[in-house]
Amino acid sequence: MLMTMNRMPHLFFVSLATLALAGCGTMRSSVVFEPAAGQAPTKAPAVSTKAPVASTVAPPARTPIPGGTYVVAHGDTLYSIAFRSGVDFRDLAQWNGVAAPFTIWPGQTLKLSPPAAAAAPAAPSSPPPATAVASAPVFQTIPPATATPVPATTPVAGAVGAGTVQSATVAAVPVAGEAAPPSLPPAAPPAAVGASHSAGGITWRWPASGSVIKRFKASDAIPGIEIAGNSGEPVRAAAGGVVVYSGNGLVGYGELVIIKHSDSYLSAYGHNRKRLVKEGQHVSAGQQIAEMGSTGASRNELQFQIRKDGNPVDPLRYLPAQ
């Protein structure tokens, strides 16, 4: 009887140790994102470790399907890969069984098309932007003076708004034997930065105060608008949202910031001299997010884009009238 009682504490602690080890074995990685002003920190949903269940028919893609694969490089986010590939981040996540908070790793291979057994016709949409360069972008280390990227996977709650497009302007080089395309005359200065316009459920503001020197053209390699300015002038968020990319890894974009306003809409700000925000950071409409510059361009300018469901749209349809 005494021996049995002496063994009871030992068995109790062994049981506790077993339970603790079991708990450690089931822990999953998650990311804590910077909270919006006045809110407590929140933890993003854990990444699912379960294999995606195969479906015979996948929902129609929101953009044309590029096909092929992409190998994740250091500095990539799911959003930046979808942005460069001209697809919606939700489609890219679904094709690869990546659950929120959309954690990916360098060296991971992502499919740029749905599984063969689940392929479905793409939904009608505007043509995606052509790739500005032949090779995939190489993500480089961000200089110490710039904001350090952190994982950005927090979905933005709120209204559905206008779409966001890649923002990168590259000077056109005439092809031998062909006449250079006629240049458009400078447009009138845009409305004041403080003016706003509601479109698609989102309230938009001008991201810079300069004149529009290049208008949107769907056939451009990198469709968007270009706004003139001086080096160091403020670049502001066109609407409130979460920064889902802040880096310099997409060739032709220079220092680039991408903001997610809703599941449908993103906006992009390229050629900055310096980025002032980091991935995962909440920003408000009109908040300064960068300094204007000429990285990836031949002059000081802001290359601004809006995408809706991964497709480029004309920003002038969403910004306040001039």
Side-chain angles (χ1 to χ4, degrees), residues 14 18 37 80 86 92 113 129 147 157 163 179 200 204 215 253 283 299-300 311:
V14 169
T18 304
S80 69
L92 183 61
S113 61
W204 301 91
R215 294 179 180 272
Y253 289 81
V283 295
R299 60 191 172 193
N300 291 314
N311 295 292

Side-chain angles (χ1 to χ4, degrees), residues 93-117:
Q94 181 188 39
W95 297 341
N96 293 276
V98 179
F102 309 127
T103 302
I104 54 178
W105 300 269
Q108 181 178 357
T109 299
L110 299 179
K111 298 184 291 290
L112 301 180
S113 61

Side-chain angles (χ1 to χ4, degrees), residues 3 34 39 41 86 96 131 141 166 168 192 194 259 262 276 319:
M3 290 180 62
E34 179 176 320
Q39 293 182 357
N96 293 276
T131 305
T141 302
Q166 290 184 353
I259 298 176
S262 70
L276 304 178
L319 298 173

Side-chain angles (χ1 to χ4, degrees), residues 9-320:
H10 175 72
L11 293 175
F12 176 73
F13 287 113
V14 169
S15 299
L16 284 179
T18 304
L19 290 173
L21 290 174
C24 294
T26 58
M27 290 179 65
R28 299 171 182 174
S29 62
S30 58
V31 180
V32 176
F33 293 95
E34 179 176 320
Q39 293 182 357
T42 57
K43 182 173 286 190
V47 179
S48 174
T49 57
K50 296 181 180 180
V53 179
S55 174
T56 54
V57 178
R62 297 170 177 85
T63 63
I65 299 171
T69 59
Y70 178 85
V71 178
V72 178
H74 177 71
D76 278 344
T77 68
L78 187 82
Y79 295 92
S80 69
I81 297 171
F83 187 85
R84 179 195 180 276
S85 305
V87 300
D88 188 272
F89 75 94
R90 292 166 293 180
D91 290 336
L92 183 61
Q94 181 188 39
W95 297 341
N96 293 276
V98 179
F102 309 127
T103 302
I104 54 178
W105 300 269
Q108 181 178 357
T109 299
L110 299 179
K111 298 184 291 290
L112 301 180
S113 61
S125 58
S126 55
T131 305
V133 291
S135 58
V138 176
F139 285 76
Q140 304 166 345
T141 302
I142 298 173
T146 62
T148 303
V150 297
T153 54
T154 301
V156 181
V160 175
T164 254
V165 177
Q166 290 184 353
S167 166
T169 299
V170 180
V173 179
V175 179
E178 293 184 4
S183 58
L184 293 173
V193 174
S196 63
H197 175 243
S198 261
I202 292 179
T203 301
W204 301 91
R205 301 171 182 266
W206 280 89
S209 58
S211 300
V212 176
I213 54 178
K214 182 179 179 298
R215 294 179 180 272
F216 175 82
K217 192 175 180 182
S219 59
D220 285 347
I222 305 175
I225 62 173
E226 295 170 8
I227 303 174
N230 299 313
S231 180
E233 287 185 348
V235 173
R236 304 180 185 277
V242 174
V243 177
V244 293
Y245 180 74
S246 179
N248 54 14
L250 275 72
V251 176
Y253 289 81
E255 300 294 337
L256 175 68
V257 174
I258 302 176
I259 298 176
K260 177 183 177 185
H261 307 293
S262 70
D263 279 347
S264 290
Y265 294 97
L266 305 174
S267 61
Y269 313 74
H271 303 322
N272 302 296
R273 181 179 78 175
K274 181 180 180 181
R275 292 171 283 108
L276 304 178
V277 291
K278 61 184 180 180
E279 293 166 9
Q281 180 177 340
H282 291 258
V283 295
S284 56
Q287 178 180 334
Q288 183 174 359
I289 58 172
E291 295 176 358
M292 188 176 291
S294 59
T295 57
S298 58
R299 60 191 172 193
N300 291 314
E301 65 184 24
L302 170 65
Q303 216 286 342
F304 178 66
Q305 300 181 17
I306 294 178
R307 289 195 181 184
K308 180 179 184 233
D309 295 331
N311 295 292
V313 294
D314 186 355
L316 297 181
R317 294 172 50 197
Y318 303 92
L319 298 173

